């Protein structure tokens, strides 16, 4: 089955760190750009980060709201995508989705999401 | 990276047609032919319903259609059905590989 499965969410204190993972199955993620999108409780979708297929230095892009705090990476040998989040803030509380970027940019496959709660 | 502008809500009766607008700038919607639309039911992941302005993925009803004029894209749903009730988001690729979503439009089927 073609799917994305996120993991790693949980409760963390402000200023803390968390690493999210996204496991791809049923297809080779190495030929796709991949992205993270988040959704705060009761709010809309917000793009977080994008990484090109090769995962090379310089192929990562970030929303201004997370730049300098979040780092996207991928391990194509394991069909995995990661998001290292540090200096977390209360406003980072959200469900985090990973998604596959198809040709010409639509997000054609989404995971079920993982909830990150930043609270003291 | 400002969000694209969508109406907060729209409504229609079964069988009617509704249109949801998505207004951006010349740096995103106006710049890109890669506008897409997503349907999201409460508590579920989004689902792609329109890509490249007016193309439908396999499995999406032909009641869904898209268009674009200048900096505004639109999603039209014809022959409204009860299970169309969801929140709809537009999305565009912008300059410098930034991606941007609209604020979302909640569709109520009366």
């Amino acid at each position: 089955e073609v799917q994305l499965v996120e993991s790693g969410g949980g409760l963390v204190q402000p200023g803390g760190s968390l690493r999210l993972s996204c496991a791809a199955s049923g297809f080779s993620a190495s030929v796709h750009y991949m992205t993270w999108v988040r959704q705060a409780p009761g709010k809309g979708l917000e793009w977080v980060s994008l990484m090109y297929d090769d995962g090379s230095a310089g192929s990562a892009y970030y929303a201004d709201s997370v730049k300098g705090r979040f780092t996207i990476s991928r391990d194509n040998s394991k069909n995995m995508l990661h998001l290292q989040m540090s200096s977390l803030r209360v406003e980072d509380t959200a469900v985090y989705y990973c998604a596959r970027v198809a040709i010409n940019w639509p997000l054609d496959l989404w995971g079920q999401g993982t909830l990150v709660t930043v609270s003291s | 990276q400002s969000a694209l502008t969508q109406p907060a809500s729209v409504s229609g009766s079964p069988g009617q047609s509704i249109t949801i607008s998505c207004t951006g700038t010349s740096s995103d919607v106006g710049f890109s032919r890669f506008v897409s639309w997503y349907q999201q039911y409460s508590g579920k992941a989004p689902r792609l319903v329109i890509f490249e302005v007016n193309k439908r993925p396999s499995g999406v009803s032909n009641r869904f259609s898209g268009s674009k004029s200048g900096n505004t894209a639109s999603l039209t749903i014809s022959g409204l059905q009860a299970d169309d009730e969801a929140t709809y988001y537009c999305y565009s690729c912008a300059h410098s590989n930034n991606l941007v979503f609209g604020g979302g439009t909640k569709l109520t089927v009366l």
Side-chain angles (χ1 to χ4, degrees):
Chain A
E1 181 184 3
V2 174
Q3 63 177 356
L4 297 168
V5 178
E6 302 94 338
S7 60
L11 175 64
V12 61
Q13 291 188 337
S17 299
L18 209 56
R19 187 192 195 213
L20 305 184
S21 296
C22 172
S25 59
F27 71 100
S28 177
S30 64
V31 300
H32 291 274
Y33 294 1
M34 298 292 293
T35 192
W36 289 96
V37 175
R38 69 184 180 184
Q39 186 170 34
K43 302 297 185 182
L45 301 173
E46 179 188 15
W47 172 69
V48 173
S49 182
L50 167 77
M51 176 157 265
Y52 285 177
D53 49 356
D54 64 0
S56 62
S59 74
Y61 299 87
Y62 301 93
D64 288 345
S65 58
V66 307
K67 201 173 293 183
R69 301 187 299 120
F70 289 13
T71 302
I72 190 173
S73 63
R74 62 193 301 165
D75 184 341
N76 285 340
S77 68
K78 296 181 179 178
N79 237 15
M80 296 285 293
L81 178 74
H82 303 286
L83 186 69
Q84 179 67 46
M85 304 184 296
S86 60
S87 301
L88 283 162
R89 305 167 180 168
V90 170
E91 55 265 34
D92 294 319
T93 294
V95 173
Y96 285 74
Y97 296 100
C98 70
R100 183 174 73 179
V101 185
I103 298 294
N104 292 337
W105 296 101
L107 308 184
D108 69 338
L109 180 67
W110 295 67
Q112 85 289 350
T114 187
L115 176 62
V116 172
T117 302
V118 184
S119 174
S120 55
Chain B
Q1 294 174 345
S2 299
L4 306 176
T5 300
Q6 297 181 234
S9 63
V10 297
S11 62
S13 300
Q16 289 185 333
S17 295
I18 62 94
T19 296
I20 299 170
S21 62
C22 169
T23 301
T25 70
S26 57
S27 296
D28 39 61
V29 174
F31 156 77
S32 172
R33 64 183 176 88
F34 305 137
V35 175
S36 51
W37 290 87
Y38 301 83
Q39 176 190 61
Q40 187 181 36
Y41 294 114
S42 180
K44 301 295 186 183
R47 170 199 177 208
L48 177 67
V49 293
I50 291 288
F51 67 101
E52 291 181 37
V53 175
N54 57 12
K55 298 179 181 178
R56 282 187 310 276
S58 174
V60 173
S61 170
N62 59 9
R63 298 183 299 104
F64 289 80
S65 62
S67 62
K68 193 186 87 160
S69 177
N71 296 338
T72 298
S74 298
L75 172 71
T76 297
I77 308 174
S78 58
L80 269 180
Q81 300 178 357
D83 67 355
D84 295 331
E85 187 161 294
T87 300
Y88 293 84
Y89 295 91
C90 61
Y91 153 100
S92 176
C93 173
H95 282 297
S96 302
N97 290 311
N98 287 320
L99 308 177
V100 61
F101 285 94
T105 298
K106 181 174 174 55
L107 169 61
T108 300
V109 180
L110 303 171

